[in-house]
Each structure stands twice: as C-alpha cells, then as structure tokens.
Amino acid sequence: MNEVPALDKRAVKRADVSAQRQGVKGSQFYLGLAFFITVLVLLVFAGIKLSVWLEDEQKAPVQDIVVSGERTFIQEHKIEALIKRTQPGSFFELDVEQTHQTVEAMPWVYRASVRKRWPSGLEIYVVEQQPAAIWNGDMLLNQFGDAFDAQLNDKDLALKMQLPHLFGPGGSEQTALQGYRNMQSLLDVTDLYIVEMFLSERFAWNIQLNNGVKLNLGRTEFIDRLQRFVDLLPLLSQQKKQIDYVDLRYDTGLAVGWKTLDKAV
C-alpha cells in the first residue's frame, strides 16, 4: 500500500483551509452586500418619509409667531393672519425673504426683520411708522417725510386732532414737512401752532393757525416773513378787532384783514 508523502498531506490541508477561507470570505461579502443594500433601501425610504413629513404643514406648521418692537398702531394678530394667509406651507417651506417683504408692505410698518426659530416659531421685529402729519387729507407722512397709506378710523380721532394737515403737489412731501417744522419752530415762542399748511403748485406757502388766523407767506423768504409776523404779534394782539388773515408778501410790513362782525360771531 502506497503512503501519501507528508509534504502532500500538508499541501492538501492548506488547500482545504484556503478553500474554507474563500468560502467564508464569499459569505461575508454577500452578507455585507445584502446589509449595504438593506441600509440603502432604508435610507431612501426614510428620505421619502422625511420629505413627505416636511411638506405636510399639519406635521410642521408655523405655530408661534412672536412680534416685538414698540407698537401703537400695528396689531400683532393682523401680522399673524397675513403671514398664515400668504405663507400657508410648513415651517420648512416658509420663505423668510418673502415674509419680510410682506410684513414691510404693511402700511404702519417702516422696517421689519424676520427669522425662523426652531422648531416651529417665527420671530418678527418691527419698527413702526411715526406719523408726523396728515398729507392731502387721506395719507400720512412719517418722520422722514415719506407718505404712507394708513387710513385713520374713528378711534384715531385724537391723533387726527394732534397732527397738522399739510397739502401740496405730489413729490413735495419732504419739502412741505421740512417747511412746516421750520415755521413751527418760530411759532414755539408763542401760543400758536400750525393746524393747516398749503403749498401751491408754484410753491407758495399759506398756513392757518390754531386761532383761525391765515397767513399768506408767498414763495420766497417765507421764514423771514413769518418771523416778521411773530415780531409784530404783540402789536397786533392789542387791537380790539379779530384778525382774519395777514398778507406778508411785502419787502417790509404786512397787510391785515380783519374779521367782520358776522365772521367774528
């Protein structure tokens, strides 16, 4: 009986071990591949579910809208209603820039900033318009002379009575407001203030004071002419007759129109 050499036995043994290792590696490869495919499928499925969840406004709505900044006329609930009407999607879909433009377009908002607050909030900071005058009867001028459309209701009657009424051609808002401020600063030394001011198409100035007196200041040197009126006011006040108007369109002096008895009554 022939015996297998010891060297051949070791070679066979190594071949068997190598084959076993190859089989194990092959099993591990397929198991790893299967695991990878499973994880990939799960990730794709999770991504789809996440996308659906993000798009579903019922699962990720804008729940908390916080409005800050000093406000007198801006009402928080109106801002909330406007945002929910113009941005009906989810928190993640909300367009911050568009929301910012929408809020700043509100009549009483001068400036605004908008930012998201995780996980479902929105923070809005507003700078309110500061009304300085009523312009042409139906608009308002802010402190910078910019006109904005914010109709005053009956509740704002006190504001209507406090603000001066300025009238002028389109585009003259800032000129009119600055002219009013310059003239009112001269009148601050008296008990008089401007209730109405008219700036004509030719930029002639006419004002009416709180005592009913109307002043015609003309187009040029209107500040100097108003100063002349202030200087002569003590003399005019000594008259027993009531002043109807004062025409100051002269190099020196002035013309006074007195109220008749009917007007005085």
Side-chain angles (χ1 to χ4, degrees):
M1 184 175 178
N2 296 329
E3 293 184 0
V4 179
L7 182 60
D8 293 341
K9 287 182 178 181
R10 286 196 298 269
V12 171
K13 186 175 182 179
R14 285 198 300 268
D16 291 339
V17 171
S18 177
Q20 290 176 359
R21 288 179 177 176
Q22 291 293 332
V24 170
K25 288 183 179 179
S27 300
Q28 290 177 341
F29 171 78
Y30 288 113
L31 286 173
L33 181 61
F35 177 77
F36 173 76
I37 293 175
T38 302
V39 171
L40 184 61
V41 171
L42 289 175
L43 287 175
V44 172
F45 179 77
I48 294 174
K49 295 295 290 184
L50 178 62
S51 177
V52 173
W53 180 78
L54 292 179
E55 292 176 358
D56 189 351
E57 65 175 329
Q58 298 302 321
K59 293 182 179 179
V62 177
Q63 295 179 341
D64 300 317
I65 299 177
V66 179
V67 181
S68 59
E70 294 185 8
R71 308 183 305 281
T72 301
F73 300 96
I74 297 175
Q75 298 177 337
E76 186 171 340
H77 72 274
K78 289 187 176 181
I79 293 181
E80 294 179 1
L82 179 64
I83 292 174
K84 291 178 179 178
R85 185 173 67 252
T86 57
Q87 295 284 337
S90 70
F91 170 81
F92 299 94
E93 290 180 315
L94 185 139
D95 189 327
V96 173
E97 181 58 30
Q98 184 178 350
T99 302
H100 171 258
Q101 294 176 4
T102 300
V103 173
E104 278 202 347
M106 298 181 71
W108 279 105
V109 177
Y110 179 68
R111 288 287 184 267
S113 63
V114 180
R115 67 172 184 172
K116 292 181 178 180
R117 185 184 63 186
W118 180 265
S120 60
L122 196 64
E123 293 182 349
I124 301 174
Y125 180 82
V126 294
V127 177
E128 191 173 68
Q129 300 269 23
Q130 298 298 315
I134 297 176
W135 179 246
N136 286 335
D138 58 355
M139 301 282 286
L140 290 174
L141 295 183
N142 65 14
Q143 67 272 37
F144 304 109
D146 300 323
F148 63 100
D149 185 9
Q151 295 183 356
L152 300 175
N153 53 39
D154 294 338
K155 294 181 180 179
D156 303 319
L157 183 60
L159 179 63
K160 287 183 179 180
M161 297 177 65
Q162 293 174 4
L163 294 176
H165 290 252
L166 309 184
F167 299 85
S172 65
E173 293 88 350
Q174 295 182 4
T175 301
L177 183 61
Q178 189 58 50
Y180 159 77
R181 286 173 171 167
N182 292 339
M183 288 187 283
Q184 185 57 54
S185 66
L186 291 180
L187 294 171
D188 286 343
V189 298
T190 71
D191 294 330
L192 301 175
Y193 57 88
I194 300 171
V195 293
E196 288 187 352
M197 189 195 74
F198 300 86
L199 184 60
S200 72
E201 294 285 346
R202 298 184 62 190
F203 285 81
W205 301 83
N206 291 269
I207 62 176
Q208 180 173 337
L209 304 177
N210 58 306
N211 61 356
V213 175
K214 296 180 284 292
L215 304 181
N216 189 341
L217 301 170
R219 296 176 56 190
T220 61
E221 301 179 349
F222 61 94
I223 295 297
D224 294 336
R225 291 171 178 176
L226 181 61
Q227 183 64 59
R228 187 191 312 159
F229 169 78
V230 172
D231 294 339
L232 294 174
L233 185 59
L235 179 62
L236 294 172
S237 300
Q238 294 176 4
Q239 305 298 316
K240 295 182 179 180
K241 295 179 290 185
Q242 295 185 18
I243 302 173
D244 183 21
Y245 68 87
V246 179
D247 192 343
L248 293 144
R249 295 174 297 172
Y250 300 92
D251 294 336
T252 59
L254 48 80
V256 180
W258 304 98
K259 287 186 178 180
T260 63
L261 182 60
D262 293 339
K263 288 185 177 180
V265 174

